[in-house]
């Protein structure tokens, strides 16, 4: 079902989205080689609880952790584990919270230490594609316009693989509301968007083939060719002239930059 939000509800959702952004910016500040994704999970869990919110993913359809931490060829829904992150890894941290009854759900892909140039490029282009999609999230455009913009920038322009099996979604009192927001598709198709429709837009882009498989744990999605995959997600409110982005990457990016400078000063 599609739920259009009131102005007040949009602002409450912004609070939830910003709690996720704040948490991820804290993660950005402390990430370094040797840290495990389980450390990140515990940190996020505590931070969210300390801010009077609960975790959306924990026990969602039986999901057994607080966050998704997807390293390298893991596309999404990676289980946090005790394997230390190492220089050259990338990790998508996907966090969902419920604050005052409203969900915030977004994700950011972090790099650990120095990463090969082609991987950096995949990270950059995937983030760019998210903003290309967001540009289309305006009143009277269609969901397919978002999908098309993301696919054009990633598959067409750079030859990357757009994951088909997983999609973005409406967001509100539920983690997943209609409509689905695929990262591939045709312009001018799909739902015509109304003001204050809130969407989680989340390109999952592979360096190689778009094909993925799910591991025996029933959750972990990986690339079939073992190549890297990147995932960024923003919570976005449809508006007349320009989408209103509820989540905020700038605080994450600032913390990321400070952390990189801090760690590189050791060399
Ligand atoms: N951002 C992802 C999504 O919207 C995360 C869901 S993980 C789950 O599907 F565990 F909650 F399923
Ligand atoms: Co999502």
């Amino acid at each position: 079902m599609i739920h259009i939000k009131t102005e007040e509800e949009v602002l409450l959702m912004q609070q939830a989205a910003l709690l996720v952004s704040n948490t991820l910016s804290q993660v950005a500040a402390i990430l370094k080689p040797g840290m495990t994704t389980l450390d990140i999970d515990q940190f996020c869990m505590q931070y969210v609880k300390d801010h009077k919110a609960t975790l959306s993913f924990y026990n969602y359809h039986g999901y057994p952790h607080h966050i998704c931490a997807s390293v390298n060829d893991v596309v999404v829904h990676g289980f946090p584990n005790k394997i230390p992150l190492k220089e050259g890894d990338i990790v998508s941290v996907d966090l969902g919270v419920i604050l005052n009854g409203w969900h915030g759900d977004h994700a950011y892909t972090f790099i650990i230490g120095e990463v090969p140039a082609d991987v950096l490029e995949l990270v950059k282009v995937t983030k760019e594609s998210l903003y290309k999609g967001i540009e289309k999230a305006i009143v009277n455009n269609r969901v397919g316009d978002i999908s098309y913009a993301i696919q054009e920038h990633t598959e067409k322009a750079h030859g990357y693989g757009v994951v088909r099996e997983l999609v973005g979604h409406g967001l509100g009192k539920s983690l997943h509301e209609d409509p689905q927001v695929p990262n591939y598709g045709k312009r001018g198709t799909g739902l015509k968007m109304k003001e204050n429709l809130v969407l989680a837009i989340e390109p999952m882009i592979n360096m190689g083939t778009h094909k993925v498989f799910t591991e025996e744990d029933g959750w972990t999605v990986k690339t079939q060719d073992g190549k890297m995959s990147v995932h960024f997600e923003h919570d976005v409110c449809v508006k007349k002239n320009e989408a209103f982005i509820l989540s905020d990457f700038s605080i994450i990016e600032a913390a990321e930059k400070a952390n990189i400078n801090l760690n590189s000063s050791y060399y």
Side-chain angles (χ1 to χ4, degrees), residues 251-265:
I251 52 176
I252 304 171
E253 284 160 350
E256 197 179 29
K257 210 168 155 204
N259 185 357
I260 288 167
N261 290 336
L262 184 71
N263 284 318
S264 63
S265 67

Side-chain angles (χ1 to χ4, degrees), residues 13 139 187 216:
M13 289 195 70
V139 172
R187 275 185 287 197
E216 262 136 50

Side-chain angles (χ1 to χ4, degrees), residues 104-214:
D105 165 30
H106 85 95
Y108 194 92
T109 296
F110 298 98
I111 57 169
I112 309 296
E114 281 199 33
V115 166
D118 58 342
V119 178
L120 278 184
E121 179 75 3
L122 177 67
V123 172
K124 176 172 155 262
V125 170
T126 303
K127 194 193 272 186
E128 283 168 3
S129 78
L130 171 55
Y131 287 100
K132 301 251 179 206
I134 290 171
E135 270 176 32
K136 304 294 176 191
I138 54 176
V139 172
N140 289 334
N141 270 1
R142 290 179 184 268
V143 169
D145 298 325
I146 300 172
S147 309
Y148 178 83
I150 294 170
Q151 188 176 21
E152 279 289 299
H153 190 62
T154 53
E155 225 168 65
K156 195 95 174 278
H158 289 89
Y160 297 144
V162 174
V163 175
R164 309 291 202 261
E165 287 80 354
L166 298 130
V167 296
H169 50 92
L171 185 71
K173 289 219 184 240
S174 304
L175 176 59
H176 294 138
E177 298 181 355
D178 287 333
Q180 293 199 342
V181 185
N183 299 301
Y184 60 94
K186 288 195 173 69
R187 275 185 287 197
T189 65
L191 177 82
K192 194 187 260 195
M193 291 177 283
K194 294 200 170 97
E195 185 151 24
N196 290 355
L197 173 67
V198 176
L199 301 172
I201 305 179
E202 49 180 319
M204 290 151 265
I205 309 297
N206 300 345
M207 180 89 90
T209 179
H210 68 78
K211 291 187 182 159
V212 298
F213 70 98
T214 305

